[in-house]
Amino acid sequence: MACAITGGYAIECTESVGGVETVYLIENSNLYDASGNSRVTSASGVVSALTKDSGTRFWRFEVPRGTASATNSITSTIENGTFYFTHEVKFPINSRSATIRNIVTTLAKNRLTFVLVEGDGSARMYGKEFGLQMSGTEAGSGVALADRNGYMLTFTSMEREDFLIVPSNIVAALETPGT
């Protein structure tokens, strides 16, 4: 039986802009209870509730304008009748201090869930189920005076579901520790 198509798409006024304004991230495991049940509730692709482990929070990473991105794609295998979503988040940190070095190393050891506030003002969650892992990092001093002296971090994940839209009231509470 075919999956029912329930809507189409019409081009509307062009009002969208690209880019990422802010990156929030948390250890993926802090969004699950001891039995492995997700603490992120969603319906029709929109987060309706989010609870974090006690004392944990999303960490905010500010990014320079025009430097961060998020992508999502669908991979389908006709022969096997399967499909999955790939999420990728890339952002820079323009520093190579000892503190930043240690943060980057810790990020590399974790599976992370990201919420990105994007250029159009919307927020999207990536890696809800399995979490994104660091898949590549470029770090260096640069060559010219205007080159980046810092990191470009890349995180990827394969997920059963695509990104979720996160309403502004939930974004406002991301940095508040869970109770």
Side-chain angles (χ1 to χ4, degrees):
M1 182 171 134
C3 296
I5 297 172
T6 60
Y9 172 75
I11 295 175
E12 299 176 3
C13 296
T14 304
E15 297 176 347
S16 187
V17 296
V20 173
E21 295 178 4
T22 307
V23 173
Y24 295 94
L25 60 87
I26 190 170
E27 300 90 337
N28 180 265
S29 60
N30 288 330
L31 298 176
Y32 285 83
D33 65 21
S35 299
N37 299 310
S38 176
R39 293 182 174 147
V40 178
T41 305
S42 64
S44 300
V46 178
V47 174
S48 55
L50 184 151
T51 305
K52 304 167 283 263
D53 267 351
S54 179
T56 66
R57 58 180 272 196
F58 278 79
W59 294 96
R60 179 185 175 126
F61 284 72
E62 293 181 1
V63 294
R65 186 179 316 253
T67 61
S69 66
T71 59
N72 54 294
S73 60
I74 300 173
T75 300
S76 177
T77 305
I78 296 168
E79 300 81 10
N80 296 332
T82 59
F83 75 99
Y84 62 91
F85 298 89
T86 300
H87 296 175
E88 181 180 83
V89 173
K90 295 174 85 169
F91 66 95
I93 298 178
N94 292 334
S95 173
R96 289 193 311 147
S97 68
T99 300
I100 295 301
R101 172 207 171 274
N102 295 338
I103 289 171
V104 169
T105 300
T106 301
L107 294 177
K109 295 177 180 180
N110 276 288
R111 289 184 310 124
L112 304 165
T113 297
F114 287 81
V115 173
L116 277 65
V117 178
E118 298 183 7
D120 63 0
S122 62
R124 292 177 176 84
M125 177 180 285
Y126 298 89
K128 173 196 165 250
E129 187 174 9
F130 299 119
L132 290 92
Q133 292 183 284
M134 190 178 289
S135 57
T137 300
E138 294 178 29
S141 63
V143 176
L145 290 177
D147 290 348
R148 172 176 291 118
N149 185 347
Y151 294 84
M152 178 55 84
L153 308 177
T154 303
F155 300 84
T156 57
S157 178
M158 292 187 294
E159 299 282 327
R160 285 189 272 216
E161 293 184 39
D162 208 353
F163 67 84
L164 297 171
I165 298 295
V166 183
S168 59
N169 64 312
I170 293 176
V171 173
L174 292 177
E175 293 181 89
T176 305
T179 54

